[in-house]
Amino acid sequence: MRMFLTPKWWLSHLFVATMLVVMTAAGFWQLDRLSERRASNDEIRAASEADPVPVEQALDRVAAGETVLDHTAVTVRGTFRGDLGFLVANRTFDTQPGSWLAAPMELDDGRLIIVSRGWVPRRWVVGDDPRSADPPTGTVVIEGRLFESIDGGRIGTGTDTLAEVSRMELETVEEALGVDLADRWVQLSEPQAAFGEIPVPVPPPNLNDGPHLSYAFQWFFFTVSTVVAYGLIFRHRLRDARIEDQALLDLSGQAEESGVRSEN
């Protein structure tokens, strides 16, 4: 066994032990991610499947410092400001490139809240799609999901008639449109009778467990496989060492026997 205590083997032991710790930690990290995702999915279901509340009520709760979860179902009654429509760039739908088409909606109390009406294809953005995507006129009532502002937005190049931002960051949208906005925005949740073929409403997120459980199993499998493989290496090396020792003993015995015969 002393052969396994040489510097070469100590380095091997250290490397394998480090890999076992890393792979085991990665497996438990994936299980933590799974728990977090399930908790987040439960929050989204609770917020989105509850009876919708008037958006003014939700905004008043936000102003009072209460927690209003993303995906909260709301109803919005007001008038679209089609003159302030804009694009949120680089959004896909069924793998197709395009943008979100959004516009402020003026509520009965005068506040403006951004409504992302849905997705439009890139062909429409560049003017190659003749379909109309104008918002309905007059007072309308829509249902949607309420969201916080998303950090990291920038103003883009836009088109001749529409401003463009990279993300739904409300401060950036305010800068692009030159108006004051409510500090939440709404994603239209389903097609409305007053809307045309486009924009296409953005579907809710897929509330599955994701790949975390399978990733955890993979990391634990790698951990067990490493232990088994290293044990087999030990076993084979011990067997080889015993064979070598036995061969040396046989050679030594033969040499002694030959020496005795020579003396005789």
Side-chain angles (χ1 to χ4, degrees):
M1 293 295 294
R2 286 181 298 177
M3 61 178 287
F4 296 116
L5 301 178
T6 61
K8 175 182 177 181
W9 276 101
W10 271 115
L11 288 175
S12 177
H13 302 333
L14 180 61
F15 174 76
V16 171
T18 301
M19 293 303 299
L20 291 176
V21 170
V22 170
M23 290 187 292
T24 302
F28 282 109
W29 177 66
Q30 287 294 339
L31 292 179
D32 288 341
R33 292 285 305 278
L34 175 62
S35 297
E36 292 172 359
R37 178 154 185 161
R38 286 175 173 173
S40 175
N41 287 347
D42 289 341
E43 286 188 350
I44 292 174
R45 288 192 186 95
S48 60
E49 295 176 2
D51 292 335
V53 299
V55 72
E56 293 91 345
Q57 178 180 327
L59 293 176
D60 291 342
R61 289 172 54 196
V62 171
E66 298 181 31
T67 298
V68 177
L69 298 175
D70 279 355
H71 295 274
T72 293
V74 294
T75 58
V76 187
R77 182 180 187 277
T79 305
F80 275 107
R81 290 287 304 274
D83 58 313
L84 296 176
F86 65 96
L87 300 167
V88 183
N90 300 321
R91 296 295 183 267
T92 60
F93 180 78
D94 285 344
T95 72
Q96 299 299 312
S99 301
W100 288 351
L101 181 61
M105 198 167 180
E106 187 171 349
L107 307 179
D108 291 339
D109 60 11
R111 283 181 288 186
L112 292 177
I113 186 168
I114 293 298
V115 174
S116 175
R117 298 171 50 215
W119 174 88
V120 290
R122 188 177 299 277
R123 291 181 63 250
W124 184 90
V125 174
V126 299
D128 292 337
D129 188 330
R131 289 177 294 178
S132 174
D134 293 336
T137 59
T139 301
V140 295
V141 179
I142 65 169
E143 292 187 3
R145 303 182 299 274
L146 197 67
F147 290 92
E148 287 188 286
S149 176
I150 301 173
D151 293 337
R154 295 176 299 171
I155 297 177
T157 55
T159 68
D160 293 339
T161 57
L162 294 171
E164 180 185 76
V165 296
S166 60
R167 293 187 179 185
M168 195 69 84
E169 183 179 46
L170 295 176
E171 289 185 2
T172 303
V173 177
E174 286 181 334
E175 182 182 351
L177 302 184
V179 295
D180 294 329
L181 301 169
D183 59 0
R184 289 292 188 274
W185 61 279
V186 175
Q187 182 78 265
L188 190 72
S189 59
E190 59 185 23
Q192 309 291 318
F195 287 68
E197 184 179 354
I198 57 172
V200 180
V202 176
N206 191 346
L207 301 180
N208 57 30
D209 286 344
H212 304 298
L213 186 60
S214 63
Y215 286 168
F217 283 146
Q218 288 178 21
W219 283 117
F220 292 140
F221 174 77
F222 294 153
T223 302
V224 173
S225 299
T226 300
V227 172
V228 172
Y230 206 55
L232 290 175
I233 291 173
F234 262 58
R235 179 181 177 183
H236 292 161
R237 190 66 188 89
L238 280 173
R239 184 192 63 186
D240 294 343
R242 288 174 182 148
I243 292 174
E244 291 174 0
D245 290 344
Q246 186 62 47
L248 289 175
L249 287 174
D250 292 343
L251 289 174
S252 177
Q254 292 174 4
E256 290 179 0
E257 183 179 352
S258 176
V260 170
R261 289 177 180 175
S262 299
E263 290 177 358
N264 293 335

